Amino acid sequence: MAEFPLPRAGILLTHFIVARDVARSCGFYTDVLGGEVVMEGEPSIVALANSWIIINVGGGPTEDKPTVTLETPQDPDRVADIEAVHAQWSARGAEFLTPPQDREREFRCYLRDPDGHLIEVGQTKLP
């Protein structure tokens, strides 16, 4: 299990994912995308690349967010080698919407996590 990141100075940047099934989403971010569990349960925390992802169930407004309801969408990024990432994640079970597409300034493709969050994977074209 990865070590929990306690910043000695400054801030720790994390991403918060609302999930219908925390364990299932945690498995996606670890087994498919290659992250490492920092904390299990509700919430779960996963270290992935240069970021930390907090995965928890949704909920209604609270005192610190009085007008916000957290829920999954109603419907993971820049990489050095998009073809390699596409092949590796596909082999682990990721279902991309399309193969990497050649766009004007980048190569890009998308996939969804188990709760439908859209994840963009991109590779910038070098000049």
Side-chain angles (χ1 to χ4, degrees):
M1 191 173 289
E3 186 176 318
F4 190 80
L6 294 174
R8 298 194 189 281
I11 66 169
L12 171 68
L13 180 62
T14 61
H15 306 278
F16 189 93
I17 302 289
V18 177
R20 289 182 193 95
D21 181 330
V22 173
R24 179 186 68 178
S25 289
C26 191
F28 173 81
Y29 284 95
T30 57
D31 299 340
V32 176
L33 302 190
E36 187 177 352
V37 172
V38 175
M39 186 173 86
E40 292 180 295
E42 290 183 9
S44 285
I45 300 176
V46 174
L48 177 62
N50 296 316
S51 67
W52 297 90
I53 301 171
I54 299 171
I55 305 167
N56 206 1
V57 295
T62 58
E63 291 177 0
D64 57 343
K65 54 177 182 50
T67 62
V68 177
T69 298
L70 298 175
E71 59 187 357
T72 58
Q74 298 302 311
D75 301 297
D77 304 358
R78 297 282 146 214
V79 297
D81 183 346
I82 197 167
E83 293 294 336
V85 169
H86 182 267
Q88 180 183 51
W89 289 2
S90 293
R92 292 178 181 168
E95 296 180 17
F96 286 85
L97 303 179
T98 67
Q101 302 286 312
D102 187 346
R103 308 301 290 181
E104 187 174 325
R105 295 187 174 139
E106 67 181 347
F107 298 98
R108 185 174 70 211
C109 58
Y110 295 89
L111 69 151
R112 291 191 184 275
D113 77 1
D115 288 293
H117 296 282
L118 188 65
I119 299 171
E120 176 183 307
V121 181
Q123 176 184 339
T124 303
K125 291 183 179 180
L126 298 175

PDB file of all heavy atoms in Angstrom, residues 81-107:
ATOM      1  N   ASP A  81       3.647   8.354 -24.619  1.00  0.00           N
ATOM      2  CA  ASP A  81       3.438   7.447 -25.749  1.00  0.00           C
ATOM      3  C   ASP A  81       2.007   6.924 -25.706  1.00  0.00           C
ATOM      4  O   ASP A  81       1.711   5.927 -25.056  1.00  0.00           O
ATOM      5  CB  ASP A  81       4.442   6.299 -25.676  1.00  0.00           C
ATOM      6  CG  ASP A  81       4.357   5.335 -26.863  1.00  0.00           C
ATOM      7  OD1 ASP A  81       3.365   5.381 -27.614  1.00  0.00           O
ATOM      8  OD2 ASP A  81       5.289   4.534 -27.019  1.00  0.00           O
ATOM      9  N   ILE A  82       1.114   7.606 -26.407  1.00  0.00           N
ATOM     10  CA  ILE A  82      -0.312   7.272 -26.336  1.00  0.00           C
ATOM     11  C   ILE A  82      -0.620   5.879 -26.870  1.00  0.00           C
ATOM     12  O   ILE A  82      -1.495   5.184 -26.350  1.00  0.00           O
ATOM     13  CB  ILE A  82      -1.167   8.354 -27.034  1.00  0.00           C
ATOM     14  CG1 ILE A  82      -2.635   8.222 -26.602  1.00  0.00           C
ATOM     15  CG2 ILE A  82      -1.009   8.295 -28.541  1.00  0.00           C
ATOM     16  CD1 ILE A  82      -3.496   9.409 -26.966  1.00  0.00           C
ATOM     17  N   GLU A  83       0.095   5.437 -27.879  1.00  0.00           N
ATOM     18  CA  GLU A  83      -0.136   4.089 -28.425  1.00  0.00           C
ATOM     19  C   GLU A  83       0.194   3.027 -27.376  1.00  0.00           C
ATOM     20  O   GLU A  83      -0.536   2.046 -27.227  1.00  0.00           O
ATOM     21  CB  GLU A  83       0.667   3.863 -29.711  1.00  0.00           C
ATOM     22  CG  GLU A  83       0.211   4.722 -30.877  1.00  0.00           C
ATOM     23  CD  GLU A  83      -1.193   4.396 -31.389  1.00  0.00           C
ATOM     24  OE1 GLU A  83      -1.680   3.263 -31.187  1.00  0.00           O
ATOM     25  OE2 GLU A  83      -1.803   5.294 -32.002  1.00  0.00           O
ATOM     26  N   ALA A  84       1.273   3.217 -26.640  1.00  0.00           N
ATOM     27  CA  ALA A  84       1.660   2.264 -25.602  1.00  0.00           C
ATOM     28  C   ALA A  84       0.643   2.252 -24.462  1.00  0.00           C
ATOM     29  O   ALA A  84       0.252   1.188 -23.980  1.00  0.00           O
ATOM     30  CB  ALA A  84       3.053   2.592 -25.071  1.00  0.00           C
ATOM     31  N   VAL A  85       0.196   3.440 -24.034  1.00  0.00           N
ATOM     32  CA  VAL A  85      -0.804   3.522 -22.970  1.00  0.00           C
ATOM     33  C   VAL A  85      -2.118   2.899 -23.434  1.00  0.00           C
ATOM     34  O   VAL A  85      -2.750   2.138 -22.693  1.00  0.00           O
ATOM     35  CB  VAL A  85      -1.017   4.986 -22.520  1.00  0.00           C
ATOM     36  CG1 VAL A  85      -2.230   5.120 -21.621  1.00  0.00           C
ATOM     37  CG2 VAL A  85       0.230   5.494 -21.812  1.00  0.00           C
ATOM     38  N   HIS A  86      -2.536   3.190 -24.646  1.00  0.00           N
ATOM     39  CA  HIS A  86      -3.771   2.620 -25.197  1.00  0.00           C
ATOM     40  C   HIS A  86      -3.692   1.092 -25.202  1.00  0.00           C
ATOM     41  O   HIS A  86      -4.624   0.402 -24.781  1.00  0.00           O
ATOM     42  CB  HIS A  86      -4.025   3.161 -26.607  1.00  0.00           C
ATOM     43  CG  HIS A  86      -5.265   2.689 -27.233  1.00  0.00           C
ATOM     44  ND1 HIS A  86      -5.304   1.571 -28.056  1.00  0.00           N
ATOM     45  CD2 HIS A  86      -6.545   3.137 -27.152  1.00  0.00           C
ATOM     46  CE1 HIS A  86      -6.545   1.380 -28.454  1.00  0.00           C
ATOM     47  NE2 HIS A  86      -7.315   2.304 -27.924  1.00  0.00           N
ATOM     48  N   ALA A  87      -2.570   0.545 -25.646  1.00  0.00           N
ATOM     49  CA  ALA A  87      -2.399  -0.916 -25.700  1.00  0.00           C
ATOM     50  C   ALA A  87      -2.366  -1.515 -24.292  1.00  0.00           C
ATOM     51  O   ALA A  87      -3.036  -2.520 -24.028  1.00  0.00           O
ATOM     52  CB  ALA A  87      -1.111  -1.264 -26.449  1.00  0.00           C
ATOM     53  N   GLN A  88      -1.632  -0.900 -23.386  1.00  0.00           N
ATOM     54  CA  GLN A  88      -1.506  -1.425 -22.022  1.00  0.00           C
ATOM     55  C   GLN A  88      -2.841  -1.386 -21.293  1.00  0.00           C
ATOM     56  O   GLN A  88      -3.264  -2.375 -20.692  1.00  0.00           O
ATOM     57  CB  GLN A  88      -0.461  -0.633 -21.242  1.00  0.00           C
ATOM     58  CG  GLN A  88      -0.261  -1.121 -19.813  1.00  0.00           C
ATOM     59  CD  GLN A  88       0.726  -0.269 -19.058  1.00  0.00           C
ATOM     60  OE1 GLN A  88       0.600   0.960 -19.027  1.00  0.00           O
ATOM     61  NE2 GLN A  88       1.722  -0.905 -18.442  1.00  0.00           N
ATOM     62  N   TRP A  89      -3.531  -0.242 -21.316  1.00  0.00           N
ATOM     63  CA  TRP A  89      -4.799  -0.127 -20.603  1.00  0.00           C
ATOM     64  C   TRP A  89      -5.882  -0.987 -21.251  1.00  0.00           C
ATOM     65  O   TRP A  89      -6.719  -1.555 -20.561  1.00  0.00           O
ATOM     66  CB  TRP A  89      -5.225   1.325 -20.517  1.00  0.00           C
ATOM     67  CG  TRP A  89      -4.374   2.156 -19.588  1.00  0.00           C
ATOM     68  CD1 TRP A  89      -3.270   1.748 -18.870  1.00  0.00           C
ATOM     69  CD2 TRP A  89      -4.540   3.532 -19.290  1.00  0.00           C
ATOM     70  NE1 TRP A  89      -2.753   2.794 -18.153  1.00  0.00           N
ATOM     71  CE2 TRP A  89      -3.516   3.901 -18.374  1.00  0.00           C
ATOM     72  CE3 TRP A  89      -5.458   4.506 -19.695  1.00  0.00           C
ATOM     73  CZ2 TRP A  89      -3.404   5.193 -17.870  1.00  0.00           C
ATOM     74  CZ3 TRP A  89      -5.335   5.789 -19.182  1.00  0.00           C
ATOM     75  CH2 TRP A  89      -4.314   6.126 -18.281  1.00  0.00           C
ATOM     76  N   SER A  90      -5.861  -1.107 -22.584  1.00  0.00           N
ATOM     77  CA  SER A  90      -6.822  -1.983 -23.263  1.00  0.00           C
ATOM     78  C   SER A  90      -6.610  -3.434 -22.831  1.00  0.00           C
ATOM     79  O   SER A  90      -7.571  -4.166 -22.572  1.00  0.00           O
ATOM     80  CB  SER A  90      -6.687  -1.868 -24.784  1.00  0.00           C
ATOM     81  OG  SER A  90      -7.092  -0.586 -25.218  1.00  0.00           O
ATOM     82  N   ALA A  91      -5.356  -3.849 -22.715  1.00  0.00           N
ATOM     83  CA  ALA A  91      -5.049  -5.214 -22.278  1.00  0.00           C
ATOM     84  C   ALA A  91      -5.513  -5.464 -20.847  1.00  0.00           C
ATOM     85  O   ALA A  91      -5.836  -6.588 -20.479  1.00  0.00           O
ATOM     86  CB  ALA A  91      -3.541  -5.479 -22.395  1.00  0.00           C
ATOM     87  N   ARG A  92      -5.594  -4.397 -20.051  1.00  0.00           N
ATOM     88  CA  ARG A  92      -6.043  -4.518 -18.665  1.00  0.00           C
ATOM     89  C   ARG A  92      -7.564  -4.402 -18.536  1.00  0.00           C
ATOM     90  O   ARG A  92      -8.086  -4.477 -17.433  1.00  0.00           O
ATOM     91  CB  ARG A  92      -5.394  -3.438 -17.805  1.00  0.00           C
ATOM     92  CG  ARG A  92      -3.902  -3.596 -17.627  1.00  0.00           C
ATOM     93  CD  ARG A  92      -3.387  -2.433 -16.809  1.00  0.00           C
ATOM     94  NE  ARG A  92      -1.953  -2.479 -16.588  1.00  0.00           N
ATOM     95  CZ  ARG A  92      -1.264  -1.444 -16.109  1.00  0.00           C
ATOM     96  NH1 ARG A  92      -1.874  -0.310 -15.809  1.00  0.00           N
ATOM     97  NH2 ARG A  92       0.027  -1.557 -15.932  1.00  0.00           N
ATOM     98  N   GLY A  93      -8.238  -4.162 -19.651  1.00  0.00           N
ATOM     99  CA  GLY A  93      -9.703  -4.111 -19.607  1.00  0.00           C
ATOM    100  C   GLY A  93     -10.337  -2.765 -19.888  1.00  0.00           C
ATOM    101  O   GLY A  93     -11.558  -2.649 -19.886  1.00  0.00           O
ATOM    102  N   ALA A  94      -9.547  -1.733 -20.153  1.00  0.00           N
ATOM    103  CA  ALA A  94     -10.122  -0.429 -20.481  1.00  0.00           C
ATOM    104  C   ALA A  94     -10.827  -0.503 -21.829  1.00  0.00           C
ATOM    105  O   ALA A  94     -10.342  -1.154 -22.748  1.00  0.00           O
ATOM    106  CB  ALA A  94      -9.036   0.646 -20.533  1.00  0.00           C
ATOM    107  N   GLU A  95     -11.968   0.155 -21.923  1.00  0.00           N
ATOM    108  CA  GLU A  95     -12.712   0.219 -23.181  1.00  0.00           C
ATOM    109  C   GLU A  95     -12.715   1.673 -23.661  1.00  0.00           C
ATOM    110  O   GLU A  95     -13.465   2.495 -23.144  1.00  0.00           O
ATOM    111  CB  GLU A  95     -14.127  -0.307 -22.986  1.00  0.00           C
ATOM    112  CG  GLU A  95     -14.146  -1.774 -22.622  1.00  0.00           C
ATOM    113  CD  GLU A  95     -15.546  -2.319 -22.423  1.00  0.00           C
ATOM    114  OE1 GLU A  95     -16.526  -1.674 -22.858  1.00  0.00           O
ATOM    115  OE2 GLU A  95     -15.652  -3.399 -21.815  1.00  0.00           O
ATOM    116  N   PHE A  96     -11.867   1.957 -24.622  1.00  0.00           N
ATOM    117  CA  PHE A  96     -11.767   3.305 -25.171  1.00  0.00           C
ATOM    118  C   PHE A  96     -12.923   3.568 -26.123  1.00  0.00           C
ATOM    119  O   PHE A  96     -13.410   2.646 -26.785  1.00  0.00           O
ATOM    120  CB  PHE A  96     -10.428   3.478 -25.908  1.00  0.00           C
ATOM    121  CG  PHE A  96      -9.250   3.590 -24.986  1.00  0.00           C
ATOM    122  CD1 PHE A  96      -8.625   2.461 -24.488  1.00  0.00           C
ATOM    123  CD2 PHE A  96      -8.776   4.838 -24.612  1.00  0.00           C
ATOM    124  CE1 PHE A  96      -7.536   2.560 -23.632  1.00  0.00           C
ATOM    125  CE2 PHE A  96      -7.684   4.958 -23.761  1.00  0.00           C
ATOM    126  CZ  PHE A  96      -7.068   3.817 -23.267  1.00  0.00           C
ATOM    127  N   LEU A  97     -13.345   4.834 -26.204  1.00  0.00           N
ATOM    128  CA  LEU A  97     -14.410   5.203 -27.134  1.00  0.00           C
ATOM    129  C   LEU A  97     -13.952   5.024 -28.570  1.00  0.00           C
ATOM    130  O   LEU A  97     -14.722   4.592 -29.426  1.00  0.00           O
ATOM    131  CB  LEU A  97     -14.864   6.648 -26.903  1.00  0.00           C
ATOM    132  CG  LEU A  97     -15.342   6.977 -25.483  1.00  0.00           C
ATOM    133  CD1 LEU A  97     -15.744   8.440 -25.392  1.00  0.00           C
ATOM    134  CD2 LEU A  97     -16.475   6.070 -25.058  1.00  0.00           C
ATOM    135  N   THR A  98     -12.682   5.366 -28.841  1.00  0.00           N
ATOM    136  CA  THR A  98     -12.063   5.197 -30.157  1.00  0.00           C
ATOM    137  C   THR A  98     -10.578   4.938 -29.920  1.00  0.00           C
ATOM    138  O   THR A  98     -10.066   5.223 -28.835  1.00  0.00           O
ATOM    139  CB  THR A  98     -12.189   6.462 -31.041  1.00  0.00           C
ATOM    140  OG1 THR A  98     -11.408   7.516 -30.450  1.00  0.00           O
ATOM    141  CG2 THR A  98     -13.635   6.893 -31.219  1.00  0.00           C
ATOM    142  N   PRO A  99      -9.861   4.450 -30.926  1.00  0.00           N
ATOM    143  CA  PRO A  99      -8.396   4.409 -30.809  1.00  0.00           C
ATOM    144  C   PRO A  99      -7.875   5.853 -30.778  1.00  0.00           C
ATOM    145  O   PRO A  99      -8.619   6.799 -31.064  1.00  0.00           O
ATOM    146  CB  PRO A  99      -7.951   3.713 -32.102  1.00  0.00           C
ATOM    147  CG  PRO A  99      -9.160   3.063 -32.653  1.00  0.00           C
ATOM    148  CD  PRO A  99     -10.338   3.851 -32.166  1.00  0.00           C
ATOM    149  N   PRO A 100      -6.599   6.057 -30.456  1.00  0.00           N
ATOM    150  CA  PRO A 100      -6.047   7.412 -30.473  1.00  0.00           C
ATOM    151  C   PRO A 100      -6.283   8.079 -31.841  1.00  0.00           C
ATOM    152  O   PRO A 100      -6.076   7.462 -32.885  1.00  0.00           O
ATOM    153  CB  PRO A 100      -4.558   7.201 -30.210  1.00  0.00           C
ATOM    154  CG  PRO A 100      -4.506   5.932 -29.433  1.00  0.00           C
ATOM    155  CD  PRO A 100      -5.599   5.082 -30.011  1.00  0.00           C
ATOM    156  N   GLN A 101      -6.735   9.324 -31.784  1.00  0.00           N
ATOM    157  CA  GLN A 101      -7.023  10.099 -32.987  1.00  0.00           C
ATOM    158  C   GLN A 101      -5.953  11.177 -33.168  1.00  0.00           C
ATOM    159  O   GLN A 101      -5.533  11.806 -32.196  1.00  0.00           O
ATOM    160  CB  GLN A 101      -8.388  10.791 -32.865  1.00  0.00           C
ATOM    161  CG  GLN A 101      -9.543   9.839 -32.620  1.00  0.00           C
ATOM    162  CD  GLN A 101      -9.910   9.071 -33.857  1.00  0.00           C
ATOM    163  OE1 GLN A 101     -10.050   9.653 -34.927  1.00  0.00           O
ATOM    164  NE2 GLN A 101     -10.065   7.768 -33.722  1.00  0.00           N
ATOM    165  N   ASP A 102      -5.552  11.412 -34.410  1.00  0.00           N
ATOM    166  CA  ASP A 102      -4.591  12.455 -34.733  1.00  0.00           C
ATOM    167  C   ASP A 102      -5.346  13.774 -34.833  1.00  0.00           C
ATOM    168  O   ASP A 102      -6.130  13.983 -35.754  1.00  0.00           O
ATOM    169  CB  ASP A 102      -3.898  12.121 -36.060  1.00  0.00           C
ATOM    170  CG  ASP A 102      -2.755  13.068 -36.387  1.00  0.00           C
ATOM    171  OD1 ASP A 102      -2.637  14.137 -35.749  1.00  0.00           O
ATOM    172  OD2 ASP A 102      -1.981  12.725 -37.290  1.00  0.00           O
ATOM    173  N   ARG A 103      -5.147  14.648 -33.842  1.00  0.00           N
ATOM    174  CA  ARG A 103      -5.776  15.963 -33.821  1.00  0.00           C
ATOM    175  C   ARG A 103      -4.732  17.001 -34.230  1.00  0.00           C
ATOM    176  O   ARG A 103      -3.559  16.681 -34.414  1.00  0.00           O
ATOM    177  CB  ARG A 103      -6.332  16.270 -32.430  1.00  0.00           C
ATOM    178  CG  ARG A 103      -7.238  15.169 -31.863  1.00  0.00           C
ATOM    179  CD  ARG A 103      -8.434  14.870 -32.704  1.00  0.00           C
ATOM    180  NE  ARG A 103      -9.356  15.989 -32.623  1.00  0.00           N
ATOM    181  CZ  ARG A 103     -10.519  16.036 -33.242  1.00  0.00           C
ATOM    182  NH1 ARG A 103     -10.906  15.031 -33.982  1.00  0.00           N
ATOM    183  NH2 ARG A 103     -11.298  17.072 -33.136  1.00  0.00           N
ATOM    184  N   GLU A 104      -5.115  18.236 -34.339  1.00  0.00           N
ATOM    185  CA  GLU A 104      -4.206  19.263 -34.843  1.00  0.00           C
ATOM    186  C   GLU A 104      -2.891  19.356 -34.071  1.00  0.00           C
ATOM    187  O   GLU A 104      -1.815  19.351 -34.651  1.00  0.00           O
ATOM    188  CB  GLU A 104      -4.909  20.624 -34.821  1.00  0.00           C
ATOM    189  CG  GLU A 104      -4.108  21.719 -35.490  1.00  0.00           C
ATOM    190  CD  GLU A 104      -4.889  23.010 -35.576  1.00  0.00           C
ATOM    191  OE1 GLU A 104      -6.130  22.958 -35.764  1.00  0.00           O
ATOM    192  OE2 GLU A 104      -4.261  24.069 -35.452  1.00  0.00           O
ATOM    193  N   ARG A 105      -2.968  19.429 -32.735  1.00  0.00           N
ATOM    194  CA  ARG A 105      -1.760  19.601 -31.918  1.00  0.00           C
ATOM    195  C   ARG A 105      -1.463  18.419 -31.010  1.00  0.00           C
ATOM    196  O   ARG A 105      -0.549  18.494 -30.198  1.00  0.00           O
ATOM    197  CB  ARG A 105      -1.900  20.861 -31.071  1.00  0.00           C
ATOM    198  CG  ARG A 105      -1.951  22.110 -31.905  1.00  0.00           C
ATOM    199  CD  ARG A 105      -1.911  23.340 -31.041  1.00  0.00           C
ATOM    200  NE  ARG A 105      -1.813  24.495 -31.910  1.00  0.00           N
ATOM    201  CZ  ARG A 105      -2.473  25.612 -31.717  1.00  0.00           C
ATOM    202  NH1 ARG A 105      -3.266  25.745 -30.683  1.00  0.00           N
ATOM    203  NH2 ARG A 105      -2.322  26.626 -32.554  1.00  0.00           N
ATOM    204  N   GLU A 106      -2.272  17.379 -31.114  1.00  0.00           N
ATOM    205  CA  GLU A 106      -2.098  16.251 -30.209  1.00  0.00           C
ATOM    206  C   GLU A 106      -2.704  14.976 -30.792  1.00  0.00           C
ATOM    207  O   GLU A 106      -3.464  15.023 -31.754  1.00  0.00           O
ATOM    208  CB  GLU A 106      -2.769  16.541 -28.864  1.00  0.00           C
ATOM    209  CG  GLU A 106      -4.282  16.628 -28.974  1.00  0.00           C
ATOM    210  CD  GLU A 106      -4.980  16.942 -27.676  1.00  0.00           C
ATOM    211  OE1 GLU A 106      -4.360  16.869 -26.598  1.00  0.00           O
ATOM    212  OE2 GLU A 106      -6.173  17.266 -27.730  1.00  0.00           O
ATOM    213  N   PHE A 107      -2.348  13.858 -30.180  1.00  0.00           N
ATOM    214  CA  PHE A 107      -3.042  12.597 -30.394  1.00  0.00           C
ATOM    215  C   PHE A 107      -3.921  12.439 -29.163  1.00  0.00           C
ATOM    216  O   PHE A 107      -3.481  12.719 -28.044  1.00  0.00           O
ATOM    217  CB  PHE A 107      -2.054  11.430 -30.496  1.00  0.00           C
ATOM    218  CG  PHE A 107      -1.109  11.569 -31.651  1.00  0.00           C
ATOM    219  CD1 PHE A 107       0.168  12.074 -31.457  1.00  0.00           C
ATOM    220  CD2 PHE A 107      -1.496  11.206 -32.934  1.00  0.00           C
ATOM    221  CE1 PHE A 107       1.054  12.207 -32.514  1.00  0.00           C
ATOM    222  CE2 PHE A 107      -0.622  11.341 -34.000  1.00  0.00           C
ATOM    223  CZ  PHE A 107       0.646  11.842 -33.791  1.00  0.00           C
TER     224      PHE A 107
END
